[in-house]
Amino acid sequence: MNFTSTSNRSPIKSTPLLGALFLLMATRVCFSRSIQFPLHPVCLLRPLPPPPRFTPTHLPKSRPCPLWSPSFSLCLRLHTLRHKSTAPHPPRTTTRSFATAASMATAAVEEGNPLLKDFEFPPFDAVQAEHVRPGIRALLKKLESEIVELEKTVEPTWPKLVEPLEKIMDRLVVVWGAVNHLKAVKDTPELRSAIEEVQPEKVELELKLGQSKPLYNAFKAIRESSDWEALSDAHKRIVEAQLKVAILNGVSLEDDKRERFNKIEQELARLSKKFGENVLDATKRFEQVIVDKKEIEGLPATALGLAAQTAVSKGHENATAENGPWVITLDAPSFMAVMQHAQNRTLREELYRAYLTRASSGDLDNTAIIDQILKLRLEKANLLGYKSYAEVSMATKMATVDKAEELLEKLRSASWNAAVQDMEDLKQFCQTQGAPEANDLSHWDITFWSERLRESKYEINEEELRPYFSLPKVMDGLFSLAKMLFGIEIEPADGLAPVWNKDVRFYCIKDSTGSPTAYFYFDPYSRPSEKRGGAWMDEVVARSRVLSRDDGSPRLPVAHMVCNQMPPVGDKPSLMTFYEVETVFHEFGHALQHMLTKQDEGLVAGIRGIEWDAVELPSQFMENWCYHRDTLMGIAKHYETGESLPEDIYNKLLAARTYRAGSQSLRQLRFSFLDLELHTKYVPGGSESIYDVDQRVSRRTQLIPPLPEDRFLCSFQHIFAAGYAAGYYSYKWAEVLSADAFSAFEDVGLNDDKAVQETGKRFRETILALGGGKAPLEVFVEFRGREPSPEALLRHNGLLSVSASA
């Protein structure tokens, strides 16, 4: 495919509210990434996970230490810790001076509200639902007055336009981001209600900012000035992105059209929020209590332990892994274990049907919400002068609709014959095993028998490997790799920042001189009663010159990584599947791009301002290192004996890497084609339903068509509750970039430590350092020395020869 014709645009958010905030772009269901300045958490998600199996290849993806606490004793304790601790000084956020010009009534509100305090890190441990309404409203009131003042005094200069704008936007990003993050990891009905009540007011402020003609005209004046050519790449990108985003946010609309546009944005915000809540509630609502162990025969010890632990949490106080009862849920660790290992075909079918019909009936039915979202997105596109919402989305991406479809079709063609062979191999294996369903494999059989075939073909048992992948060892190995590639040290900094759950860890990243460069939180374990499923990375604060610390150095970036893997069971640490290992590496890749940026312009620092279809490059790049011998062998240590993974097992892992690659590729392509079809050709309210579209697309991308009652779309959060609308193709687009980037390390020799380190340094200085300050194609060429090619991706997936013959 041709990357040359792509444009140098900044990413656009597919959720509503995005005013001039499109400059804080970034990345996995938080509430999606955002515009140039995300006012939602900017979450980078993994692609949707594959059907449970052993080694999926390249598959899917929403902050505290207050300086001043409402509790005097807590304040003293924190300051005592700070003076005694050897932990590095944290970055400074920008929520200070909220009460400076406020009334006494507003000051009283602020006095006890942790959201309005001057904090180094968001006070996650102190924020409660009752703080949201008064805190957000006080903040919105102050920011609105600052916007009015800026419009009166604005001049087409950096200090009089961009810097004050960044401060306004950042203030809301930090506070609103903290609130939405808590909703994603510690959800309660009270918090939902509070957010729902103030969200329209926040959207209104975003629209006011995004549609400000004085600010738009000032940016336009900079673009048309004689000094334009003298501006840096980063400054040009900011100006051009703000101009484009203003147009996409309706700055040129007048009267009735603008009013309608704003109503659409408000409604889209509400609908996307409701969509995600319905999926979470539907997932939580399903549980199956099993008392007869024969019904779950085949489940490994780790899954039985989790099921018993879940049972205890549900009130079955005497539940044990050996004797039950066991509670099975639709949360990923529980669901995937059943689909992969349960010999009970009826149980597999029941769970599969429940999973594929989540949020599709009763009070949690998302069908009407999807129709309304698609209808409103199309109307929004038409108001802006576009034929489809996909065109709006692509206006700020590397690709065009045609280029995205071209790549997807090339990959589909390369994957089809391999997937056909996958199915034939599976049927033949089932026949040799005497399986009665051998000639009539259904969806709930594929995962189970694929795992049995993989075990037979490669003599690898996933559950036998779990003890080699304990979370502490995986993190140690990941941090060692980051040190080798990028010259950084990662140290625990627990206690420096308050956290939202006792299992959350906090880390500091230091450069080669020992100076702090960034911080991040890590929340690894599944908590289905309060935490959204999936895995994602999001920013807490971004690097910024304008929002510098008191010593004049740029504010340091802070990120959080969230996963949903199996928690420790009994006295065992969290023992991970290989897919969960890949997931941690994936999210850490996103975090590295956010944290290792050297871009000081806050609007394009880290993951901000990077085109949506390029932002998955570092995350998918990091997954490749899970197959690097030194990295994997450094991670894979038996949690009890310390024994290294046997060499022959490592070799089998490598051989299994491309197992069913054609099938897995087609699965992701189904989602990508479906997303584009719904946002280009689908007519809401027409003769074809959304489910008809899915069935039609699946005929070209699936060997076994979806069930007639398949309602997967009702839980497709990536495109209806996150930032991937008309953008799910981005995973494949960026996978081309990431595979080609990793091939640079293969070219110099993965066993040549010096060459790998030199290449890693170049990767850090380009891909990780430049942020959104330069067009991603230019950044890639600067690293690789040429434009990208899909050859490496097809080779890594074992599809190159198939592609050549196709």
Side-chain angles (χ1 to χ4, degrees), residues 301-368:
T302 51
L304 292 174
L306 176 64
Q309 188 166 283
T310 303
V312 171
S313 71
K314 301 287 186 179
H316 303 275
E317 297 178 0
N318 298 320
T320 66
E322 180 62 31
N323 300 316
W326 303 270
V327 172
I328 304 298
T329 72
L330 296 182
D331 197 45
S334 179
F335 169 75
M336 294 179 76
V338 171
M339 298 307 299
Q340 193 170 12
H341 297 291
Q343 296 175 17
N344 185 340
R345 192 184 186 211
T346 301
L347 177 63
R348 296 200 310 265
E349 178 180 355
E350 183 175 349
L351 255 70
Y352 180 85
R353 289 181 181 276
Y355 193 84
L356 264 291
T357 55
R358 286 180 301 161
S360 67
S361 62
D363 60 326
L364 300 179
D365 192 350
N366 274 335
T367 303

Side-chain angles (χ1 to χ4, degrees), residues 368-387:
I369 291 178
I370 293 174
D371 283 333
Q372 188 65 5
I373 287 175
L374 293 173
K375 178 181 178 181
L376 291 174
R377 284 175 177 170
L378 179 58
E379 185 181 356
K380 171 183 172 178
N382 294 159
L383 282 172
L384 294 172
Y386 291 93
K387 295 179 181 178

